[in-house]
Amino acid sequence: MTDADPAYEDAHAAVHVIEERDEYLQAVARLAAGHGPVAVDAERASGYRYSQRAYLIQVFRRGSGSFLFDPIAIGDFSDLQAALVDEEWVFHAASQDLPCLREVGLVPTRIFDTELGARIAGFPRVGLGAVVEQLLGITLAKAHSAADWSTRPLPQAWLVYAALDVELLPDLRDSLAEVLESAGKARIAEEEFAAVLARAPKPPRVEPWRRLSGMNVLRGARALAIARSLWLARDAYAQETDIAPGRTIPDSAIVAAAAAAPTSRAELGALKSFTGRASRAELDRWWAAVEEGRTTEDLPRLRGGGEPSLPPPRAWAERNPAADRRYRAARAAVTARAAELDLPVENLLTPETLRLVSWTPPKTVATETVGATLASHDARPWQVEETASVIAHAFEVAADRSVEDPAAEVTATTASRPDDTTADANTLGATEDPDADVQAGDAALVADGQADDATGTTAS
């Protein structure tokens, strides 16, 4: 273990970025000749650029050294992919880097994620600096994580920061693997790493403009039409210029213009709340969008209905009382089980998966049927093993109408049942039809659409 050093970066040798093809091929050869896992990181320009592309890719391997690549200059990474594809790649928060690496053809087949591993290990803080300090005794000054990595040339201090992000990962991986093994969580980590690697990207939203912050102040379909038109115009401009949308005109400016509904370009320009770096420079563009929203006959619905979604849990007691009881009881049971395992509850089972199985449970509740339902919602085998029985028991408690507070009842018991325990289908709801409450809730959901989309919040 290295003594903590607040100025650890200061002792690092100068770093440069590889931009030439010949030097890139030399680096690939050296990495291929190295040994052990390959540490990989990527730096984007989130908050500065529209795209989520990588502007710097860092790779380190024992026996090879660290290499910083400019992906824009290099372009083709097929040689690096071929050299390292069969090795384990080590990341910190892999889900953030995998998409931009895939864009340039870098796709691992095995990963170790030190951020996710730290969560599974039960660490209170899982940022790279915190985990490095806890396991390696090295203090890092994480000063450039939010930098604009599209900057050229990149400052030397930034490059040292970027190099350290990968140079410490192999040692961190080994230390964390020992912690996970000692805690009996190595298998959990392996399944979670594989799940991150296999996870498909989320499909684009049908109506992404409904995510505008502050839209709850808008009244009427016409105001929503103006907001939609301005959002689309901003998105197109941001994509054309590769500038983060919020750095052109902020959400607040779009909402202010939609609420004011100006009737002329001059009126829009005079609107003090219509702010942003491009608010006046691109005023013609924004006025054309406002005019489109003011005159279109294709008015949006007051409530969104694009992506299917459950209603927010706060509405369950009214819309689907049986599901509300199941959810509150199951949430208490899963929370208790997470505490026993020393895991964050969201890593034991995602809130979305718990809501889905609570809203539409299997007709016959048992460990096996609940487990199959969890698996159908992408729960990993270890998650099914740890939660299916406690959720099945929670559903049984919730179905007992003599229990006033099922969550408290579950918390006060062992929240477990033998695997062959079943609840009669007719006890799941207040009626003789076990699906009646669920169907009633689903009908309300269809009629109401995504209740929260108009406010720019998620509905689940």
Side-chain angles (χ1 to χ4, degrees):
M1 180 176 291
T2 305
D3 292 338
D5 180 5
Y8 187 77
E9 292 91 334
D10 294 343
H12 198 284
V15 182
H16 83 285
V17 179
I18 296 174
E19 300 174 337
E20 301 297 331
R21 182 74 181 171
D22 289 345
E23 190 177 9
Y24 158 73
L25 292 175
Q26 293 173 14
V28 170
R30 289 178 60 184
L31 286 165
H35 57 87
V38 181
V40 184
D41 191 22
E43 306 294 348
R44 297 170 301 282
S46 302
Y48 296 93
R49 298 293 180 179
Y50 182 90
S51 72
Q52 290 300 305
R53 69 182 301 175
Y55 285 94
L56 187 71
I57 295 174
Q58 310 100 279
V59 184
F60 172 83
R61 195 176 190 190
R62 290 170 178 145
S64 305
S66 58
F67 303 90
L68 275 59
F69 301 102
D70 183 338
I72 299 172
I74 300 298
D76 179 13
F77 281 88
S78 58
D79 302 280
L80 185 60
Q81 171 70 11
L84 303 179
V85 64
D86 294 327
E87 307 298 336
E88 179 188 81
W89 294 18
V90 184
F91 295 88
H92 191 81
S95 61
Q96 297 181 21
D97 295 327
L98 288 173
C100 67
L101 291 173
R102 288 190 177 110
E103 285 185 4
V104 298
L106 293 174
V107 184
T109 55
R110 290 184 295 131
I111 68 170
F112 189 106
D113 188 334
T114 55
E115 190 266 353
L116 182 53
R119 290 185 185 278
I120 294 167
F123 285 17
R125 296 187 300 149
V126 296
L128 180 60
V131 181
V132 164
E133 186 168 2
Q134 179 168 342
L135 291 181
L136 304 183
I138 296 172
T139 301
L140 296 176
K142 302 292 288 182
H144 308 297
S145 58
D148 178 3
W149 290 92
S150 67
T151 300
R152 292 296 184 271
L154 287 165
Q156 183 62 208
W158 296 14
L159 297 179
V160 170
Y161 161 90
L164 286 172
D165 268 4
V166 288
E167 290 174 5
L168 297 173
L169 281 182
D171 289 347
L172 191 64
R173 175 241 183 264
D174 291 348
S175 294
L176 192 52
E178 292 179 5
V179 172
L180 292 167
E181 184 67 36
S182 298
K185 296 179 177 179
R187 178 205 160 194
I188 292 175
E190 289 175 4
E191 289 190 19
E192 289 302 286
F193 299 160
V196 169
L197 191 55
R199 187 173 299 144
K202 290 184 177 181
R205 289 183 172 273
V206 177
E207 296 181 304
W209 61 273
R210 290 189 183 272
R211 302 283 290 175
L212 278 166
S213 300
M215 272 186 49
N216 58 304
V217 304
L218 298 182
R219 297 291 179 266
R222 184 61 62 187
L224 293 179
I226 296 174
R228 176 184 63 187
S229 187
L230 276 169
W231 187 96
L232 292 171
R234 182 185 69 172
D235 190 68
Y237 176 65
Q239 190 167 4
E240 290 169 12
T241 56
D242 195 19
I243 298 174
R247 297 177 74 84
T248 60
I249 54 173
D251 285 7
S252 59
I254 291 179
V255 172
T263 58
S264 68
R265 178 184 183 280
E267 190 176 336
L268 175 63
L271 191 64
K272 291 183 178 180
S273 53
F274 189 68
T275 60
R277 298 181 182 184
S279 61
R280 299 305 181 272
E282 294 292 325
L283 191 60
D284 287 343
R285 181 188 299 266
W286 312 133
W287 167 243
V290 171
E291 185 69 1
E292 164 65 20
R294 290 180 64 249
T295 59
T296 183
E297 295 182 1
D298 179 23
L299 293 175
R301 289 170 292 186
L302 294 179
R303 296 185 184 277
E307 295 86 3
S309 178
L310 297 179
R314 63 178 177 272
W316 286 28
E318 179 179 350
R319 295 190 186 184
N320 191 343
D324 181 60
R325 285 174 61 86
R326 285 191 295 269
Y327 175 63
R328 288 189 288 112
R331 184 175 58 184
V334 171
T335 299
R337 185 61 183 142
E340 292 173 0
L341 295 171
D342 192 22
L343 284 170
V345 65
E346 65 273 13
N347 288 108
L348 177 56
L349 194 67
T350 67
E352 179 184 12
T353 299
L354 185 58
R355 288 193 291 267
L356 287 168
V357 72
S358 299
W359 185 267
T360 310
K363 291 185 177 181
T364 300
V365 170
T367 296
E368 294 84 354
T369 58
V370 169
T373 303
L374 292 172
S376 73
H377 295 307
D378 297 327
R380 267 72 75 191
W382 77 270
Q383 292 176 318
V384 172
E385 291 174 12
E386 296 293 349
T387 64
S389 63
V390 298
I391 292 174
H393 173 58
F395 284 0
E396 288 181 315
V397 173
D400 184 352
R401 298 297 172 168
S402 67
V403 176
E404 182 176 349
D405 186 344
E409 178 70 17
V410 165
T411 302
T413 65
T414 59
S416 63
R417 274 287 194 266
D419 286 350
D420 61 352
T421 299
T422 62
D424 185 86
N426 291 337
T427 68
L428 288 173
T431 68
E432 292 184 357
D433 181 357
D435 293 323
D437 286 322
V438 173
Q439 291 167 355
D442 284 337
L445 176 59
V446 170
D448 194 32
Q450 282 185 291
D452 284 359
D453 262 358
T455 68
T457 60
T458 56
S460 60

